[in-house]
């Protein structure tokens, strides 16, 4: 096993191959360069940005506030970049990703329009052999899967899909050209975050919009606005303070968090608290009480408050009722909206409940539910993603001894810290299953993983190690711990994409780590402090 070769290698050999040029891949490349490693990024898209490259649907916007959704590694970058709104719209985040790529001169090592199709570990050479969609074959000592958590779009296998003669769109694969719905009859399938962001905008454009809802969702208002420049100046004067406050929160976001139990407060106090949080907007609502995700009765108080808001806003009581969720508040990913429920007061918007009678089939002219035909000029599939594991399992990944990742994960993903997979040496995942990832502010979580991986590569070089693999026992213990923490929360109780319930046949396992960001950070640091505890270095 060779040590990391920092002095350059043959054309198709790299120290490191990085899969994906989203925020994880971009920063990983930057860090690899800093370590003097030869690296190549393969990116399926035609540009950088990952999630923000693909999800161009109308109204796409980050649900974490702009001042907290940016890289931390460069103070100059943080100071010079100026966001325009409280929550950044997708085009601006994409511009930011492009700015980072240019500012740090990253494009030269990124090969666009190229998917990685296979990655096989060659036991004898101790290197990964990589095959790409352009027919290329490459070899690398290390592979970093920066493939994203919500990057494999889910297109349900509707009967008759190919027969449809109108336009079809998936929110996670939106075209680059402007889509014009003016004067058109549009059908939307799904009511998750992507749908609730795009429906109010599409309703303004279309002649008629029909929304097919299987499960109603809880939302909190964004109260988006131009970014308050005084607040921006305050943050920029002491960015570290904001980041430190965020680091000690379970979700890695600086929100005010009240640890007190909801039922200790009187009904009037609770109402006042919820109203205050509602008026402020955003995920801060989750911080109203400490036990909202732990105690069903506490959770009911928040759920009923939100249902009351729906009744207040929606004119037709029957529609308000249909829009009202009755599952656990915050169990599925909470949506942050702008005028979503209000949109159903428009004359040109219809809500169709498909919870009891599912969409039967797609027809040449539209779709059919419960024997009724709906005719559309365009259908928008806002049907989500094969989350967390989808993008990894699309690639034919084989570890030591030719073991397939798809076989290892047949009963659900197994990782050590969401960073490494036992039996898959020298491969790292950024925000993989088993890490807090999607339950946290993604950008800082991505950075923390990339920093951990980079420090590990540096450590290996300094100590003459050529190979790293996690111990089976360490991985088993971590998987058990991830499962235990999930079982303590109400979040694991419903059919969400967190448990893979949206993909037929996917094993039902709560995938992200629910122990909280600070606990996780501590664990990662402890592993390093104990000489990469749970890893075998050779
Ligand atoms: P989501 O949140 O997974 O939403 C997908 C929606 O599509 C959801 O309402 C689903 O209903 C619905 N869906 C999926 N398949 C079907 C079928 N076959 N019939 C009817 N309805 C269907 O994806 P998003 O893209 O909105 O958001 C993903 C994440 O991106 C989000 O959580 C944020 O983190 C950002 P269901 O609820 O499964 O009944």
């Amino acid at each position: 096993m060779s040590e990391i070769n920092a002095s350059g290698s043959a054309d198709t050999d790299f120290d490191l191959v990085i899969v994906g040029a989203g925020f994880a891949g971009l920063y990983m490349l930057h860090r690899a360069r800093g370590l003097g490693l030869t690296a190549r990024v393969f990116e399926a898209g035609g540009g950088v940005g990952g999630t923000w490259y693909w999800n161009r649907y109308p109204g796409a916007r980050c649900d974490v506030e702009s001042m907290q959704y940016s890289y931390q590694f460069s103070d100059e970058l943080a100071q010079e970049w100026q966001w325009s709104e409280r929550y950044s719209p997708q085009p601006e985040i994409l511009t930011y990703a492009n700015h980072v790529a240019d500012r740090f001169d990253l494009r030269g090592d990124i090969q666009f329009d190229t998917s990685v199709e296979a990655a096989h570990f060659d036991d004898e050479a101790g290197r990964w052999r990589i095959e790409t969609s352009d027919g290329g074959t490459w070899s690398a000592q290390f592979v970093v899967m920066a493939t994203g958590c919500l990057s494999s779009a889910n297109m349900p296998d509707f009967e008759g899909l190919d027969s449809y003669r109108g336009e079809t769109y998936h929110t996670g694969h939106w075209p680059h050209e402007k889509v014009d719905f003016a004067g058109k009859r549009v059908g939307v399938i799904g009511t998750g975050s992507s749908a609730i962001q795009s429906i109010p905008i599409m309703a303004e454009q279309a002649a008629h919009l029909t929304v097919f809802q299987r499960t109603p969702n809880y939302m909190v208002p964004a109260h988006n606005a131009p970014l308050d420049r005084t607040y921006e100046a305050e943050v920029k004067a002491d960015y570290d303070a904001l980041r430190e406050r965020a680091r000690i929160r379970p979700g890695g976001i600086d929100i005010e968090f009240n640890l007190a139990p909801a039922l200790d407060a009187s009904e009037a106090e609770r109402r006042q608290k919820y109203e205050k949080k509602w008026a402020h907007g955003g995920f801060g609502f989750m911080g109203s009480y400490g036990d909202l995700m732990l105690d069903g009765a506490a959770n009911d108080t928040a759920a009923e408050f939100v249902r009351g808001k729906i009744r207040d806003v929606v004119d037709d009581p029957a529609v308000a009722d249909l829009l009202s969720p009755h599952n656990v508040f915050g169990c599925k990913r909470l949506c942050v909206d702008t005028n979503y429920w209000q949109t159903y007061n428009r004359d040109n918007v219809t809500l169709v409940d498909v919870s009891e009678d599912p969409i039967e089939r797609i027809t040449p002219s539209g779709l059919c539910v419960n024997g009724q035909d709906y005719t559309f000029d365009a259908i928008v599939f806002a049907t989500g993603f094969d989350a967390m594991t989808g993008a990894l399992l699309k690639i034919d990944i084989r570890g030591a001894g030719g073991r397939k990742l798809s076989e290892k994960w047949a009963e659900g993903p197994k990782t050590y810290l969401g960073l490494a997979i036992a039996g898959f040496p020298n491969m790292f995942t950024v925000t993989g299953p088993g890490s807090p990832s999607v339950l946290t502010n993604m950008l800082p979580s991505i950075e923390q993983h990339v920093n951990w991986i980079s420090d590990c590569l540096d450590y290996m070089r300094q100590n003459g190690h050529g190979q790293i693999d996690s111990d089976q026992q360490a991985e088993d213990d971590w998987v058990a711990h991830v499962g235990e923490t999930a079982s303590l929360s109400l979040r694991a109780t419903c059919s969400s994409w967190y448990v893979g319930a949206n993909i037929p046949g996917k094993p039902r396992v709560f995938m992200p780590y629910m122990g909280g960001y600070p606990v996780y950070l501590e664990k990662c640091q402890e592993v390093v402090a104990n000489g990469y505890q749970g890893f075998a270095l050779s």
Side-chain angles (χ1 to χ4, degrees):
M1 187 55 46
S2 65
E3 290 177 35
I4 295 175
N5 173 13
S7 58
S9 39
D11 276 351
T12 56
D13 289 343
F14 299 99
D15 295 324
L16 173 63
V17 155
I18 301 163
V19 188
F23 283 128
L26 288 177
Y27 182 46
M28 189 66 238
L29 174 60
H30 179 64
R31 286 294 317 262
R33 290 233 190 110
L35 292 171
L37 304 179
T38 58
R40 169 72 57 94
V41 181
F42 294 107
E43 165 56 53
V48 300
T51 287
W52 303 106
Y53 174 86
W54 295 106
N55 288 267
R56 298 163 182 255
Y57 58 82
R61 188 179 289 283
C62 189
D63 51 16
V64 172
E65 295 194 24
S66 307
M67 292 310 290
Q68 301 199 49
Y69 193 80
S70 57
Y71 283 121
Q72 307 186 2
F73 69 87
S74 161
D75 198 42
E76 294 79 25
L77 173 68
Q79 291 297 332
E80 79 199 7
W81 185 262
Q82 203 171 46
W83 298 107
S84 62
E85 297 176 61
R86 178 176 170 188
Y87 299 89
S88 298
Q90 171 270 333
E92 197 168 315
I93 305 174
L94 188 59
T95 304
Y96 174 71
N98 277 284
H99 171 74
V100 170
D102 292 334
R103 195 186 189 289
F104 298 96
D105 195 22
L106 299 174
R107 290 180 202 277
D109 288 324
I110 306 175
Q111 187 171 323
F112 293 105
D113 300 307
T114 310
S115 304
V116 168
E117 295 186 333
H120 295 178
F121 188 70
D122 178 337
D123 293 294
E124 232 162 81
R127 293 179 72 82
W128 285 90
R129 308 278 173 215
I130 288 131
E131 290 173 26
T132 48
S133 54
D134 60 347
T137 53
W138 320 82
S139 127
Q141 189 173 0
F142 294 92
V143 173
V144 171
M145 292 293 176
T147 40
C149 294
L150 294 160
S151 46
S152 177
N154 168 42
M155 182 59 113
D157 190 16
F158 289 115
E159 187 193 323
L161 189 57
D162 291 342
S163 72
Y164 181 59
R165 289 196 298 261
E167 304 157 26
T168 56
Y169 302 96
H170 192 291
T171 45
H173 262 284
W174 203 260
H176 288 219
E177 321 64 67
K178 190 171 163 28
V179 176
D180 186 8
F181 289 129
K184 291 184 179 159
R185 294 158 301 177
V186 180
V188 183
I189 302 174
T191 50
S193 284
S194 306
I196 68 99
Q197 288 189 331
S198 53
I199 283 169
I201 317 271
M202 293 191 290
E204 284 171 8
Q205 302 168 353
H208 198 95
L209 192 76
T210 307
V211 179
F212 296 88
Q213 170 189 278
R214 190 163 66 181
T215 318
N217 256 319
Y218 291 99
M219 27 220 100
V220 289
H223 297 315
N224 189 35
L227 188 63
D228 178 343
R229 294 294 161 210
T230 311
Y231 171 66
E232 181 194 10
E234 273 167 27
V235 170
K236 285 188 170 176
D238 193 359
Y239 239 129
D240 288 346
L242 171 79
R243 288 164 178 164
E244 193 43 46
R245 288 197 301 277
R247 247 193 297 276
I248 58 171
R249 292 282 172 233
I253 307 178
D254 176 35
I255 55 168
E256 227 181 78
F257 207 89
N258 172 23
L259 287 174
L263 298 180
D264 280 7
S266 70
E267 205 178 324
E269 285 167 341
R270 269 199 307 272
R271 170 135 216 115
Q272 200 183 15
K273 167 74 79 185
Y274 288 145
E275 288 290 2
K276 193 171 161 224
K277 293 283 188 181
W278 196 262
H280 183 72
F283 285 134
F285 190 89
M286 293 298 283
S288 300
Y289 293 102
D291 57 351
L292 290 185
M293 295 318 297
L294 299 171
D295 177 341
N299 189 282
D300 281 346
T301 65
E304 185 43 35
F305 175 84
V306 178
R307 286 191 289 266
K309 290 291 180 194
I310 302 174
R311 291 191 291 270
D312 288 350
V313 162
V314 179
D315 297 339
D316 181 340
V319 175
D321 200 35
L322 262 188
L323 287 168
S324 298
H326 289 278
N327 54 1
V328 167
F329 170 78
C331 191
K332 290 191 179 220
R333 164 95 174 200
L334 188 61
C335 300
V336 180
D337 85 295
T338 300
N339 290 333
Y340 175 68
W341 292 316
Q342 291 84 338
T343 300
Y344 291 91
N345 294 334
R346 297 175 64 104
D347 291 338
N348 71 333
V349 176
T350 308
L351 181 65
V352 178
D353 175 21
V354 292
S355 59
E356 301 278 312
D357 299 302
I359 293 166
E360 264 169 53
R361 62 183 176 278
I362 308 287
T363 63
S365 58
L367 58 82
C368 179
V369 178
N370 199 17
Q372 185 177 340
D373 281 318
Y374 295 84
T375 302
F376 298 119
D377 302 302
I379 300 178
V380 174
F381 294 85
T383 45
F385 301 90
D386 182 355
M388 304 205 72
T389 55
L392 288 165
L393 291 175
K394 257 190 201 168
I395 304 170
D396 174 12
I397 299 176
R398 300 184 197 191
R403 184 158 187 213
K404 290 183 178 176
L405 184 65
S406 56
E407 280 170 12
K408 170 162 178 155
W409 283 8
E411 284 161 20
K414 295 181 174 70
T415 71
Y416 184 36
L417 301 169
L419 274 164
I421 304 164
F424 294 74
N426 289 1
M427 173 177 281
F428 297 97
T429 49
V430 181
T431 61
S435 78
S437 58
V438 291
L439 300 178
T440 64
N441 186 1
M442 281 304 287
L443 241 175
S445 284
I446 282 170
E447 248 180 301
Q448 182 260 340
H449 264 199
V450 170
N451 284 334
W452 193 98
I453 294 165
S454 306
D455 293 348
C456 175
L457 296 179
D458 194 28
Y459 174 88
M460 289 177 71
R461 182 167 57 179
Q462 308 260 358
N463 291 276
H465 297 301
Q467 190 166 311
I468 184 167
D469 195 359
S470 47
D471 298 334
Q472 192 55 58
Q473 190 58 50
E475 183 178 272
D476 290 346
D477 291 348
W478 183 253
V479 170
H481 177 60
V482 171
E484 273 159 30
T485 49
S487 68
L488 300 175
S489 166
L490 298 172
R491 244 196 199 119
T493 59
C494 68
S495 298
S496 66
W497 57 256
Y498 293 135
V499 297
N502 61 330
I503 305 295
K506 191 164 171 171
R508 199 170 172 128
V509 172
F510 195 89
M511 294 181 286
Y513 174 57
M514 205 147 20
Y517 190 58
V519 175
Y520 179 78
L521 285 188
E522 212 174 284
K523 172 73 184 172
C524 288
Q525 281 158 4
E526 191 186 293
V527 164
V528 174
N530 293 336
Y532 288 89
Q533 188 179 16
F535 286 96
L537 288 149
S538 56

